[in-house]
Amino acid sequence: LEYPYPLGRTMPASSGWAVGPSLEPLVEGVLYRIPAPANPWIPTQGYLLTPPAAKQGVLIDPMAPPSEAVVRDITAAVAHASQGTAPEPAISHLFLSHNHIVGTSGWRRWRTAFPGLRVVADENEVCADDGVQRVSMTPHVWTPYEGDASWSTRFLLAKIPGHRPGHLAFRYRDRGHSFLWGGDTLDPASERFCEDSVSSQVASLLWMRDSLSSELVAPTVVMPTHGAVTAGSGPTWFQNDITSRIRGFSEQYWKHAEPR
């Protein structure tokens, strides 16, 4: 990998802190993978983002249940990132790419674990509820998250319909980091579970590839909810990564799109 940050390593022993067993560090002190329990179909995961200088963390598509061990490890990671004791709650936001990732009972369980947690999802994917922010977006437009957190303007959302009508993608940019979360849209194996249009899902992938290739000059981590996390740098790497995902779908859905 060309990514200059330690990808998939634990914190050095000299730091006096070790990542909890329920988390896998992707970028030390900033980004963690939260593996879900063994899935009979495909590897599954969610993510924890601890933005620099922020006092609380952010969850993206957490699929593991909020067990005592997971909550403890997340709280410890946020406390380490904030260089002190994590506030109550340690997590401020949970972003859902689409509704059959966590499900209605799923995000409610996370809100029980972290009281006051704000859940953010497309208006078509979740019902109105206290603590739920339902967003209405035009497809294929990156929009800064409208929130009051210190990282809000660096966290972008886009509607990428196809796998689900209200599927969202997320980006985060700060201090040389560039992260992209694409939910099930990034995973060709999700074709058989598509609830909207596979052609539209591939079109959303093409849009992400072409709209971001010129911007993602910084090292980038690409994160699906199913399948492998990838990391690299430069437009060519990113184009090739997304194109390889596109070509994992049945040929009938991408052969006319002529991906590079």
Side-chain angles (χ1 to χ4, degrees), residues 3 5 27 31 170-181 212 215-223 230-232 237-238:
Y3 202 76
Y5 303 100
V27 178
L31 180 66
F170 312 110
R171 292 173 58 196
Y172 176 75
R173 304 172 297 179
D174 187 32
R175 302 185 185 183
H177 302 296
S178 181
F179 304 149
L180 173 65
W181 295 270
L212 297 178
E215 294 185 32
L216 295 183
V217 293
T220 301
V221 182
V222 178
M223 291 164 279
T230 54
W237 174 84
F238 182 72

Side-chain angles (χ1 to χ4, degrees), residues 58-254:
V58 177
L59 293 172
I60 297 94
D61 286 338
M63 298 189 69
S67 65
E68 181 178 335
V70 170
V71 171
R72 181 185 64 240
D73 291 347
I74 287 174
T75 301
V78 174
H80 173 75
S82 62
Q83 300 181 342
T85 302
E88 294 293 338
I91 300 297
S92 61
H93 292 71
L94 188 161
F95 289 89
L96 291 180
S97 62
H98 62 297
N99 75 353
H100 70 220
I101 283 290
V102 179
T104 301
S105 61
W107 61 255
R108 286 198 171 97
R109 291 171 66 189
W110 282 97
R111 283 179 57 196
T112 300
F114 296 106
L117 178 71
R118 179 180 298 178
V119 177
V120 183
D122 183 84
E123 62 182 353
N124 297 308
E125 299 295 304
V126 293
C127 297
D129 198 317
D130 291 339
V132 176
Q133 182 178 355
R134 302 167 72 224
V135 296
S136 176
M137 305 185 68
T138 300
H140 299 174
V141 177
W142 288 109
T143 305
Y145 173 62
E146 296 182 359
D148 55 5
S150 61
W151 45 264
S152 296
T153 57
R154 299 186 296 277
F155 195 93
L156 286 75
L157 297 75
K159 188 171 184 174
I160 51 170
H163 185 70
R164 284 276 305 169
H167 199 298
L168 298 179
F170 312 110
R171 292 173 58 196
Y172 176 75
R173 304 172 297 179
D174 187 32
R175 302 185 185 183
H177 302 296
S178 181
F179 304 149
L180 173 65
W181 295 270
D184 283 14
T185 298
L186 287 169
D187 177 33
S190 71
E191 177 181 324
R192 56 183 167 160
F193 303 112
C194 179
E195 297 182 16
D196 186 14
S197 163
V198 178
S199 295
S200 295
Q201 182 172 346
V202 171
S204 287
L205 275 171
L206 285 165
W207 171 77
M208 282 197 292
R209 186 198 66 183
D210 295 340
S211 69
L212 297 178
S213 291
S214 62
E215 294 185 32
L216 295 183
V217 293
T220 301
V221 182
V222 178
M223 291 164 279
T225 45
H226 305 289
V229 175
T230 54
S233 62
T236 299
W237 174 84
F238 182 72
Q239 290 173 3
N240 291 340
D241 181 81
I242 300 301
T243 296
S244 68
R245 296 174 187 272
I246 291 169
R247 295 201 173 198
F249 289 83
S250 299
E251 184 177 359
Q252 68 190 72
Y253 297 113
W254 59 258

Side-chain angles (χ1 to χ4, degrees), residues 19-42:
V19 178
S22 60
L23 301 180
E24 175 187 317
L26 295 174
V27 178
E28 293 182 358
V30 180
L31 180 66
Y32 302 85
R33 175 178 175 266
I34 311 173
N39 186 304
W41 297 288
I42 193 170

Side-chain angles (χ1 to χ4, degrees), residues 37-55:
N39 186 304
W41 297 288
I42 193 170
T44 301
Q45 63 260 322
Y47 302 92
L48 167 66
L49 173 68
T50 54
K55 297 299 183 183

